[in-house]
Amino acid sequence: MTEPILQVTDLVKHYPVTRGVVFQRTIGHVRAVDGVTIELKAGETLGVVGESGCGKSTLSRVLMNLEKPTSGSVKYRGKEIFGLRGAELKKMRRQIQLVMQDPYTSLNPRMTVGDLIGEPFEIHPDVAPKRDRRGKVQELLEVVGLNPEHINRYPHQFSGGQRQRIGIARALALRPEIIVCDEPVSALDVSIQAQVMNLLGRLQKDFGLAYIFIAHDLSVVRHLSDRVAVMYLGKIVETGTEDQIYERPTHPYTQALLSAVPVPDPMSRQTKKIIRLVGDVPSPVNPPSGCRFRTRCWKAQEICATQEPELIDRAEDRHPSACHFAEAREIVVSHEAGTS
Amino acid sequence: MSDPAAIGLAIDSTTAEELSAGQATPTGTGGGGSTDKPRGLLGDAWHDLRRKPMFWIAGAFILLFIVMAAFPSLFTSKDPGYAVLERSRQGPSSSAWFGYDVQGADLYARVIYGTRASLLVAVLSTVGTVVFGSLIGIIAGFRGGWPDSLLSRIADIFFGIPFLLGAIVILFTLNPPGANRSEFTVLMIVVTSLVVLSWPVSMRVMRASVLATRNADYIVAARALGASTSRIVMRHLLPNCLAPALVYSTILLGSFIGAEATLSYLGVGLKAPTQSWGIMVAESQDYLRVSPQLLLFPAAFLVVAVLSFVTMGEAVREALDPKLR
């Protein structure tokens, strides 16, 4: 359990920005993912949070080998995934599956549920013999809490939550080790979110899955994650266990994010100190020098503009945080806590 | 003479294209019946089609036209080429249901015998245009990059050629007056020239819908599952891109019958003794006011034929869209 099954080292993905119609010149790069190092152990959940445009979805696509990275490596069980071809690539794909964000567009509208969930078996025929497939599909429908008799229905006949369950069943079909969840609940109603989250939690227990759980909602991530990585402008600014990130965050960005989480208790809400970030996320084409967060940070000083803070353990609390002035700060987040 | 099997072949290839565009589910042909049995898109589409009266009506008409084209002698015992000048432009009577044409030939017999050439030209040109154009469109849209630019520019070149002028040039070159080519050869040359000049539109139609579908989430999902390119194209891309091409092809069918008529009228297309609706419509125009039946009868057949294909295309398109079911 301690050996990491997925090792991501210095992953960089830049998209060229071109100008011109016939003769295209590259005038810059969108630094969507800019040096991300994470690792995932078997059976654990790594939450990745960050606001829109910080490179979370690009990270998921590169991890799925849907896009080639500019540099860096992703190793699955010690094997570099980007060099794989043909049968080896197919074998790797079996082990890493994807649940997409929007359940309304991620299912082919012209395929029945049976065909959608059965497709992984058709692509990887060695997983299940032909005559067992229908049974397997119905089994999967049952596992994700859908009626197995709905095998002949089309996606448009289901609600958003049910469609996301179909997506999860499809990802589950090949019994993968890792499922990359790219904001799997953000398109759903809050009440349905909880159901899908609980389903994901139960499946993890039953099948020993490891999740990379990407979301912009901190409370959603906390519910499932063992470890959390906070992303800002293509870089990871702080990582640690769920407890470290949520109870003792040291990076100002994490603190700002956490302070924005709505608190259901009106008493503690009044005493809560909200950190309001001003301005927008800087353009990833031309990120600020030094610390990328310095343009919106209240602690920023001279050194932040010149020297990029490394993601290392800071004295305050023993977990990596990329801030020169990392320090703990009391923040009200948990539903129970009410101090200020 | 052209062989009647060619028509059947043309029809077959249309349906085959629709079939392959759906999905090759092993259980597809079984149709409805029990709800428990797994079905695919095609099975459901067939199940849906069977309950549509418009499908059966259009199908019956198309079948009738096919039989008419294959065995015209079943419908009339007269010879369409036998003309007696003294009965020129006589109106409909019990001896000649549709009357006689300018030359005094039986109009009904001519319409019946004209079915073959008209349908062959229309169906073959439509199938050729849509299949070839769609193929190029899929390649251009799916590959993107320089193949797309190259193919699009080539399409633009063909797009820029005026239709009639281009057809006249091609036909004069391949089928100069005086060259005694067989009826079937002339027909194929006409088909070829129509396809060559009209594929860019269907290529554009297909390319546009491929571009709109190419980056859909479900295609990304299929890639993440490890699906091959051919699988993505056949099972995900084509079924979702087919509707516009199908609609366009039904419109095209009618316009090709008209185009064949124009070319025949200009003397570069089919020539007598070949019979075709287009030739008859073209001939009738000088006598429109005095003998309107010369226009009305062949035009009526033409309209019914085009309408049947349009209705059939519409029914198939609706059946292939689960949301409209």
Side-chain angles (χ1 to χ4, degrees):
Chain A
M1 286 294 272
T2 46
E3 189 67 13
I5 50 171
L6 196 72
Q7 253 178 319
V8 182
T9 323
D10 276 331
L11 195 68
V12 176
K13 176 70 191 175
H14 289 180
Y15 293 100
V17 181
T18 55
R19 185 174 283 172
V21 180
V22 183
F23 302 103
Q24 297 194 331
R25 294 174 295 127
T26 304
I27 55 165
H29 289 278
V30 174
R31 294 152 192 265
V33 175
D34 209 8
V36 165
T37 301
I38 45 176
E39 55 178 46
L40 183 72
K41 297 187 182 72
E44 80 165 349
T45 303
L46 173 69
V48 178
V49 286
E51 61 196 295
S52 316
C54 73
K56 301 178 306 249
S57 289
T58 307
L59 179 67
S60 78
R61 289 187 169 219
V62 177
L63 288 182
M64 290 301 301
N65 202 354
L66 291 171
E67 309 231 12
K68 290 257 167 280
T70 312
S71 69
S73 83
V74 176
K75 286 198 175 114
Y76 167 72
R77 290 197 177 274
K79 231 191 221 164
E80 178 64 52
I81 65 169
F82 297 116
L84 299 179
R85 293 255 165 277
E88 290 233 281
L89 179 66
K90 228 172 161 179
K91 224 168 127 193
M92 187 280 292
R93 291 228 187 272
R94 264 176 66 175
Q95 297 301 335
I96 309 180
Q97 287 293 316
L98 178 69
V99 174
M100 299 181 100
Q101 173 174 9
D102 188 349
Y104 291 90
T105 58
S106 61
L107 303 174
N108 187 338
R110 288 172 201 252
M111 283 169 87
T112 60
V113 172
D115 282 337
L116 282 165
I117 302 179
E119 192 173 29
F121 297 128
E122 279 179 42
I123 296 170
H124 303 271
D126 43 321
V127 177
K130 209 161 194 160
R131 57 181 192 285
D132 293 354
R133 280 182 202 160
R134 204 189 121 213
K136 287 231 174 206
V137 168
Q138 291 188 316
E139 209 175 283
L140 280 164
L141 280 171
E142 221 157 340
V143 165
V144 296
L146 291 171
N147 188 345
E149 282 166 23
H150 292 170
I151 193 162
N152 284 328
R153 291 206 181 174
Y154 288 87
H156 70 96
Q157 291 165 308
F158 291 94
S159 69
Q162 287 174 316
R163 282 161 165 240
Q164 199 57 296
R165 286 168 192 264
I166 297 169
I168 292 170
R170 178 173 62 182
L172 215 57
L174 298 172
R175 293 276 184 277
E177 267 190 297
I178 303 169
I179 293 186
V180 178
C181 304
D182 185 1
E183 308 219 17
V185 295
S186 61
L188 305 175
D189 285 351
V190 178
S191 56
I192 310 296
Q193 281 188 3
Q195 292 176 10
V196 173
M197 298 288 298
N198 289 336
L199 171 67
L200 285 171
R202 180 165 63 77
L203 294 176
Q204 180 167 43
K205 232 178 283 161
D206 292 355
F207 298 105
L209 299 165
Y211 288 135
I212 290 185
F213 197 92
I214 294 169
H216 57 243
D217 186 335
L218 284 149
S219 43
V220 163
V221 169
R222 182 172 202 179
H223 184 75
L224 273 183
S225 302
D226 303 310
R227 286 188 305 122
V228 179
V230 182
M231 263 184 102
Y232 185 77
L233 266 182
K235 277 190 182 299
I236 289 184
V237 293
E238 187 169 6
T239 115
T241 62
E242 174 252 317
D243 205 39
Q244 285 166 336
I245 295 291
Y246 283 85
E247 297 300 335
R248 301 186 295 281
T250 59
H251 195 283
Y253 180 62
T254 316
Q255 292 165 351
L257 277 185
L258 286 172
S259 82
V261 172
V263 178
D265 178 2
M267 292 306 287
S268 62
R269 194 184 299 152
Q270 285 167 3
T271 54
K272 177 178 169 174
K273 282 178 201 146
I274 291 179
I275 305 168
R276 285 188 207 285
L277 291 181
V278 285
D280 285 328
V281 184
S283 159
V285 178
N286 190 13
S289 65
C291 173
R292 297 193 166 189
F293 186 59
R294 71 177 165 84
T295 49
R296 299 167 79 191
C297 182
W298 63 95
K299 287 181 185 171
Q301 290 181 23
E302 202 59 45
I303 183 178
C304 300
T306 53
Q307 200 185 333
E308 192 172 330
E310 280 179 80
L311 185 64
I312 47 169
D313 285 2
R314 301 285 169 178
E316 190 77 41
D317 195 77
R318 305 302 295 173
H319 67 268
S321 170
C323 179
H324 294 301
F325 306 103
E327 59 175 344
R329 181 192 171 105
E330 201 123 18
I331 277 170
V332 186
V333 253
S334 42
H335 303 302
E336 302 83 29
T339 48
S340 71
Chain B
M1 283 301 280
S2 64
D3 56 328
I7 291 183
L9 212 110
I11 302 296
D12 277 347
S13 65
T14 0
T15 42
E17 188 209 0
E18 286 154 15
L19 290 180
S20 64
Q23 18 178 287
T25 36
T27 50
T29 45
S34 81
T35 44
D36 193 34
K37 207 160 145 242
R39 292 194 305 256
L41 180 68
L42 279 189
D44 283 342
W46 174 235
H47 187 70
D48 186 48
L49 272 181
R50 280 194 311 189
R51 284 188 284 171
K52 274 190 186 162
M54 288 320 281
F55 167 75
W56 290 110
I57 294 171
F61 269 109
I62 291 173
L63 196 70
L64 182 71
F65 282 118
I66 292 171
V67 175
M68 213 180 266
F71 310 106
S73 52
L74 285 179
F75 295 83
T76 176
S77 51
K78 304 244 176 63
D79 176 4
Y82 177 69
V84 179
L85 266 180
E86 70 180 20
R87 33 182 219 214
S88 171
R89 291 198 284 117
Q90 278 179 14
S93 62
S94 59
S95 59
W97 292 353
F98 292 0
Y100 293 98
D101 72 354
V102 186
Q103 309 282 341
D106 188 298
L107 203 63
Y108 174 70
R110 286 194 67 192
V111 171
I112 296 291
Y113 276 88
T115 311
R116 179 182 297 170
S118 298
L119 271 195
L120 264 183
V121 168
V123 172
L124 286 185
S125 311
T126 305
V127 171
T129 304
V130 171
V131 168
F132 182 69
S134 299
L135 197 71
I136 304 287
I138 289 172
I139 294 171
F142 194 64
R143 278 266 160 259
W146 69 263
D148 181 24
S149 306
L150 183 74
L151 291 170
S152 295
R153 291 300 85 74
I154 294 175
D156 285 349
I157 292 171
F158 280 92
F159 206 48
I161 303 173
F163 182 78
L164 212 53
L165 197 64
I168 291 172
V169 169
I170 294 174
L171 287 168
F172 255 115
T173 319
L174 294 179
N175 182 32
N180 271 323
R181 303 207 191 272
S182 74
E183 188 188 355
F184 186 68
T185 318
V186 176
L187 202 134
M188 290 320 285
I189 293 172
V190 171
V191 168
T192 311
S193 68
L194 291 176
V195 170
V196 163
L197 291 167
S198 35
W199 68 269
V201 182
S202 87
M203 178 262 188
R204 288 266 151 182
V205 168
M206 202 58 174
R207 179 177 169 271
S209 51
V210 168
L211 281 181
T213 317
R214 185 178 64 163
N215 292 324
D217 276 355
Y218 54 83
I219 303 237
V220 176
R223 276 173 62 210
L225 279 173
S228 60
T229 306
S230 62
R231 182 182 189 86
I232 289 174
V233 170
M234 293 312 284
R235 291 208 61 172
H236 296 280
L237 208 58
L238 254 182
N240 288 291
C241 293
L242 200 68
L246 212 59
V247 171
Y248 178 66
S249 67
T250 55
I251 298 169
L252 210 58
L253 201 90
S255 69
F256 274 146
I257 293 182
E260 181 265 312
T262 313
L263 294 175
S264 301
Y265 178 71
L266 291 171
V268 290
L270 305 175
K271 292 185 183 87
T274 309
Q275 307 289 346
S276 93
W277 298 338
I279 297 175
M280 297 173 72
V281 170
E283 275 177 6
S284 70
Q285 70 158 13
D286 294 338
Y287 309 95
L288 193 57
R289 294 235 307 250
V290 277
S291 312
Q293 80 272 13
L294 293 186
L295 170 72
L296 291 182
F297 285 117
F301 270 65
L302 201 156
V303 167
V304 172
V306 171
L307 215 58
S308 311
F309 280 104
V310 170
T311 312
M312 179 63 96
E314 190 72 2
V316 170
R317 185 183 66 78
E318 273 179 22
L320 284 176
D321 190 348
K323 279 183 207 163
L324 294 176
R325 231 167 263 155

